[in-house]
Amino acid sequence: RAAMMAAAAVRRGRLGREGRASLCSFLLGASVAALPLLLGSSPALLATPGLRGRLALALHVAGVNAALLLLYPRPLYKIAVRACFLGFAFGCGLLLSAGRSAWRHFGWYMCSLSLFHYSEYLVTAINNPRSLSLDSFLLNHSFEYNLAALSSWVEFTLEKLFFPELKQITWLSTVGLLMVIFGDCLRKAAMLTAGSNFNHIVQNEKSDTHTLVTSGVYGWFRHPSYVGWFYWSIGTQVLLCNPICVVGYALASWRFFRERIEEEEITLIHFFGEEYLEYKRKVPSGLPFIKGVKLEL
């Protein structure tokens, strides 16, 4: 989906040099998925790599990094190396997903996580290039976000060691994958619908281009990007069959978005006044038990 959006943007001439560099680098990193074809080996290369597989991966990483250093000056290289890392993770996820490896569902997770972060940058490059920065990858979102990701990896690994059957519930992982796809598609639809009005950082000052978006997915929910992220994050843990992190992610995400929505709605009421209050009365927030800021003019 990210590649299709990028191709359309390139045809329309909307993807700047940062976006083009990120797309080329992501695809270059993802080319690791083609290694089994080059080696004439099983697609499940990472499940049982052996010395030959490890050497091939090391050479791929070194070769790709050398290509990026030659292709891009330092400002673009910083973008390219992050996009390439996400592409590499996506390609490795595809390799792990191949066959019936015990790590198959973790491969699904790797593809979902890397594509989410890369598409955040890509859609921003298409929609609102003026706000584009290295932070648009959301790789350094917060200490809590990184800790949550690490916790999910630790839980998956420990439970895979002691309760391996728990990680082979394919129907449950499939439900999680569907939640992930739904959540990410909803979030990206919200970003594309909002256009230049969307920003990863809550804005405290209204610019001349700010408008209140109420069409498309914003006619369903007041905060569709947060709804999408909420279900995407929980879906990643359902996908991994991580019971502890499913509960932890749900509670932590709910609390984060409740506070974020209240903060954002104060700003939106300040920007748009009665127009936003009327919209708020008609359209739900989209998140369970979150009604938004309780403030009237």
Side-chain angles (χ1 to χ4, degrees), residues 159-198:
E159 289 174 352
K160 183 177 178 298
L161 287 173
F162 296 104
F163 311 101
E165 66 283 354
L166 180 63
K167 301 306 176 184
Q168 300 302 314
I169 309 176
T170 299
W171 71 264
L172 185 59
S173 290
T174 302
V175 170
L177 182 61
L178 292 174
M179 289 177 65
V180 163
I181 293 171
F182 165 77
D184 202 10
C185 286
L186 178 61
R187 179 168 170 83
K188 297 312 183 291
M191 294 173 70
L192 289 167
T193 302
S196 62
N197 292 285
F198 185 91

Side-chain angles (χ1 to χ4, degrees), residues 125-170:
I126 295 169
N127 251 14
N128 193 7
R130 287 182 298 178
S131 70
L132 192 65
S133 71
L134 292 177
D135 291 338
S136 300
F137 286 108
L138 296 185
L139 291 172
N140 57 341
H141 180 269
S142 66
F143 171 77
E144 292 79 9
Y145 181 85
N146 294 333
L147 182 62
L150 180 62
S151 299
S152 73
W153 304 340
V154 170
E155 180 183 353
F156 181 88
T157 303
L158 290 177
E159 289 174 352
K160 183 177 178 298
L161 287 173
F162 296 104
F163 311 101
E165 66 283 354
L166 180 63
K167 301 306 176 184
Q168 300 302 314
I169 309 176
T170 299

Side-chain angles (χ1 to χ4, degrees), residues 101-120:
S101 163
W103 290 91
R104 181 186 181 198
H105 297 154
F106 195 82
W108 295 2
Y109 166 80
M110 286 181 66
C111 290
S112 303
L113 185 66
S114 55
L115 191 59
F116 171 83
H117 282 282
Y118 175 65
S119 59
E120 288 289 307

Side-chain angles (χ1 to χ4, degrees), residues 221-255:
F221 314 118
R222 293 200 309 275
H223 302 279
S225 67
Y226 295 159
V227 175
W229 199 348
F230 178 76
Y231 288 107
W232 174 86
S233 66
I234 298 172
T236 61
Q237 300 312 299
V238 176
L239 190 162
L240 291 175
C241 301
N242 279 353
I244 297 173
C245 280
V246 165
V247 176
Y249 270 51
L251 293 175
S253 297
W254 185 88
R255 181 178 178 181

